[in-house]
């Protein structure tokens, strides 16, 4: 038994080293380009899928493949060896996710959205993830990673992803709520819907409508259908 325990511990150390090395490689390859794109999330304008003006900002096939591979590896490590999923890996991963979601995507990044939608069983991993989400996306900004992730997901619902992406975008928003809790999520959400021309529906831009949305959405975590309907109503495409 002692030998088996030692082997398991050694395997866990090796897995962590491998995953951290892979994450470091992915972050160095993807980080600069994706963090540059993150600024698009702050714009009120919805750059719809197929827009020629912003087509060049979509993820390239190489970027998409590497990002989705990183997300898949992270999902498996998080589920089966959560202690190996350190903040050193989580931080760059979430910042890159924020950049990827800021721009139009004719092919929604399914693995990325799956990891955001995951209801993590390990409390330690959830705590590490929350600490990463409250950090600013880049130095010199006051926008938390969680805020830009929500903003990007909402813009996906508003037209930066195909309408068929509803089924993967809504769980991703809800997953952030489950990780962060209502109070923290509500503060991100309030910042995420800022803008005099955001969202598309004029009625949803009114201060009272936004205040109601910020109040009601965090309360609906336990009712998936109500959560979905609130998002659909706010992100209505006229």
């Amino acid at each position: 038994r002692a030998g088996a325990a030692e082997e398991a511990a050694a395997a866990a150390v090796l897995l962590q080293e491998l995953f951290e090395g892979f994450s470091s490689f992915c972050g160095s390859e993807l980080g600069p380009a994706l963090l540059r794109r993150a600024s698009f999330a702050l714009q009120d304008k919805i750059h719809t899928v197929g827009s020629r003006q912003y087509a060049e900002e979509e993820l390239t096939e190489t970027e998409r493949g590497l990002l989705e591979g990183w997300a898949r590896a992270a999902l498996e490590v998080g589920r089966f060896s959560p202690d190996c999923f350190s903040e050193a890996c989580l931080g760059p991963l979430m910042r890159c996710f924020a950049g990827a979601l800021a721009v139009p995507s004719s092919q929604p990044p399914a693995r990325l959205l799956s990891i955001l939608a995951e209801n993590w069983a390990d409390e330690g991993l959830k705590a590490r993830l929350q600490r990463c989400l409250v950090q600013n996306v880049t130095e010199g900004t006051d926008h938390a990673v969680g805020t830009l992730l929500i903003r990007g997901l909402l813009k996906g619902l508003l037209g930066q992803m195909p309408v068929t992406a509803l089924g993967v975008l809504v769980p991703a928003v809800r997953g952030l709520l489950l990780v962060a809790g209502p109070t923290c999520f509500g503060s991100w959400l309030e910042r995420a819907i800022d803008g005099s021309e955001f969202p598309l529906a004029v009625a949803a831009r009114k201060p009272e409508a936004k205040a109601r949305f910020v109040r009601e959405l965090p309360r609906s975590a336990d009712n998936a259908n109500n959560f979905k309907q609130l998002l659909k109503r706010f992100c209505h495409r006229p």
Side-chain angles (χ1 to χ4, degrees):
R1 290 182 180 179
E6 290 176 357
E7 289 179 1
V13 171
L14 178 59
L15 176 61
Q16 183 168 354
E17 290 177 351
L18 288 171
F19 183 58
E20 287 182 352
F22 180 54
S23 293
S24 178
F25 169 76
C26 292
S28 63
E29 290 291 309
L30 294 170
L34 293 183
L35 291 180
R36 178 185 60 80
R37 290 181 173 99
S39 62
F40 282 89
L42 302 176
Q43 300 176 8
D44 286 0
K45 183 174 175 59
I46 306 300
H47 309 297
T48 54
V49 173
S51 170
R52 292 183 178 180
Q53 184 180 0
Y54 293 97
E56 70 277 6
E57 296 297 341
E58 281 204 44
L59 298 181
T60 66
E61 287 302 314
T62 299
E63 290 171 334
R64 183 185 304 279
L66 186 55
L67 185 66
E68 289 283 73
W70 191 9
R72 180 179 182 181
L75 188 60
E76 296 304 315
V77 170
R79 284 174 174 171
F80 300 107
S81 298
D83 289 342
C84 297
F85 205 161
S86 65
E87 290 182 46
C89 300
L90 276 167
L93 180 68
M94 291 298 130
R95 289 194 292 273
C96 284
F97 281 7
L101 292 172
V103 294
S105 181
S106 55
Q107 300 177 49
R111 298 289 185 182
L112 182 164
L113 295 168
S114 292
I115 201 169
L116 292 180
E118 183 74 8
N119 187 10
W120 299 107
D122 186 80
E123 292 299 322
L125 174 54
K126 288 173 70 173
R128 293 193 295 278
L129 178 54
Q130 186 177 29
R131 287 196 294 270
C132 291
L133 293 174
V134 300
Q135 299 298 316
N136 291 338
V137 174
T138 58
E139 292 184 8
T141 69
D142 62 348
H143 292 94
V145 174
T147 295
L148 287 199
L149 284 171
I150 294 173
R151 178 83 164 191
L153 293 168
L154 294 181
K155 294 185 86 169
L157 289 167
L158 286 161
Q160 289 195 176
M161 291 188 193
V163 67
T164 52
L166 176 71
V168 287
L169 287 168
V170 172
V173 180
R174 185 167 176 264
L176 290 172
L177 170 56
L178 295 176
V179 164
T183 302
C184 188
F185 178 86
S187 67
W188 293 341
L189 182 62
E190 187 173 12
R191 294 290 305 276
I193 63 174
D194 190 33
S196 60
E197 297 183 15
F198 187 89
L200 292 175
V202 175
R205 296 176 186 171
K206 296 178 179 180
E208 58 271 24
K210 289 187 174 183
R212 184 169 59 252
F213 182 61
V214 170
R215 185 172 61 252
E216 292 179 351
L217 192 66
R219 295 176 179 173
S220 62
D222 295 332
N223 188 328
N225 187 59
N226 187 44
F227 189 89
K228 177 180 178 180
Q229 294 306 317
L230 287 169
L231 276 175
K232 285 179 67 176
R233 185 160 59 244
F234 186 80
C235 296
H236 175 66
R237 305 184 188 189

